[in-house]
Amino acid sequence: MEIKPKTSHDPATDLHMADAYMRWQLLAAEEVVGKQGLVTVLRENGLEKFIDHYPPEEFNFNSKITAGEYSALSAALMTFYGRAGRGMTLRIGRLSCKMAIEKQGALFNVAGSLALKLLPVGQQLKMGLENMQSGFRKLGEGIGEDYELAVEDRGETIAYIAKACPMCAGKQADAAICNIFTGNLEEGARWLTGKEHQVVETSCRAKGDPACVWEVSKAAKAE
């Protein structure tokens, strides 16, 4: 797989990411690839400002981190580690999701999510993903930005849709590349239902699709 910059400006790169999200992605990446491995990736991809200077664990935008920088780190990890990059970025996604669940309960209505565990699995997943998007919207509204998010019930799956995805902002590729968020959704689904669910990115803006779409299977994986 080859990941390249888009030939024309992608407005999604100008959107901003809360400091905490970049911090968690960096911490998770450090745990998976090691401190020196991450330093090398950052230095070779124009992200030197994050070496030993992770953003604070705060839900604000004081560090002025853009979706372009966020996607640059994700793409750099996949490119640098080649065929192993997919598995590594999925692990990074799952780890960063665990950090998020621990730290952002109020923003993402964790109390409400716990109540969801009493509902049928399909409803648990749909309402859990809606809670997640509601949290992102609250952050974006504070600075006048919108990732154009939606959730759809598609029968056997629940679709998570992002028309301005920060995972692949400004990138083009011949395959879906938003593996970190795939890992986020895998871990989020496991936390909601207590089971592992298949998550597949079926559309990706990096391939020229109008939105990034992940489909989360309502049926749990066989144990």
Side-chain angles (χ1 to χ4, degrees):
M1 179 195 303
E2 184 179 11
I3 304 173
K4 301 185 295 185
K6 287 186 173 177
T7 55
S8 58
H9 178 66
D10 180 0
T13 61
D14 299 327
L15 296 170
H16 290 85
M17 301 296 295
D19 290 357
Y21 294 133
M22 188 61 146
R23 179 180 182 85
W24 293 330
Q25 182 165 244
L26 288 162
L27 286 171
E30 181 181 320
E31 184 169 336
V32 172
V33 307
K35 176 72 171 181
Q36 192 53 51
L38 179 58
V39 167
T40 301
V41 168
L42 294 173
R43 183 174 291 121
E44 292 187 2
N45 290 276
L47 298 168
E48 296 94 339
K49 73 177 188 179
F50 295 113
I51 296 174
D52 295 324
H53 290 93
Y54 296 176
E57 193 173 76
E58 297 173 357
F59 295 109
N60 58 42
F61 301 84
N62 292 341
S63 300
K64 301 188 184 303
I65 298 163
T66 65
E69 290 173 317
Y70 199 77
S71 68
L73 176 56
S74 178
L77 288 163
M78 291 187 65
T79 301
F80 187 83
Y81 289 99
R83 295 181 68 178
R86 172 176 166 75
M88 285 180 165
T89 47
L90 286 172
R91 286 176 60 200
I92 290 167
R94 296 194 71 139
L95 281 170
S96 60
C97 181
K98 287 180 180 179
M99 296 175 193
I101 289 170
E102 292 172 1
K103 302 293 184 179
Q104 59 187 9
L107 180 66
F108 283 79
N109 189 20
V110 167
S113 297
L114 290 170
L116 296 181
K117 295 178 183 290
L118 302 176
L119 299 174
V121 171
Q123 288 179 261
Q124 289 181 45
L125 292 171
K126 185 173 185 293
M127 295 179 69
L129 294 180
E130 288 172 342
N131 281 351
M132 180 185 292
Q133 291 188 352
S134 177
F136 291 146
R137 287 193 189 96
K138 287 178 184 176
L139 286 173
E141 286 169 0
I143 56 171
E145 294 185 350
D146 183 6
Y147 284 102
E148 300 180 80
L149 302 168
V151 171
E152 293 180 359
D153 189 326
R154 296 187 174 179
E156 295 183 355
T157 65
I158 302 295
Y160 183 108
I161 303 163
K163 292 185 178 179
C165 175
M167 289 291 168
C168 62
K171 304 299 181 185
Q172 64 180 37
D174 58 0
I177 62 171
C178 307
N179 290 341
I180 288 180
F181 197 68
T182 301
N184 289 165
L185 291 175
E186 286 179 347
E187 183 60 28
R190 186 203 63 77
W191 182 80
L192 278 169
T193 71
K195 303 285 186 178
E196 295 287 339
H197 293 259
Q198 183 179 41
V199 179
V200 178
E201 187 179 6
T202 56
S203 299
C204 183
R205 293 180 74 250
K207 297 193 302 173
D209 295 321
C212 289
V213 179
W214 292 262
E215 295 204 29
V216 183
S217 175
K218 292 180 183 178
K221 292 182 180 180
E223 296 183 357

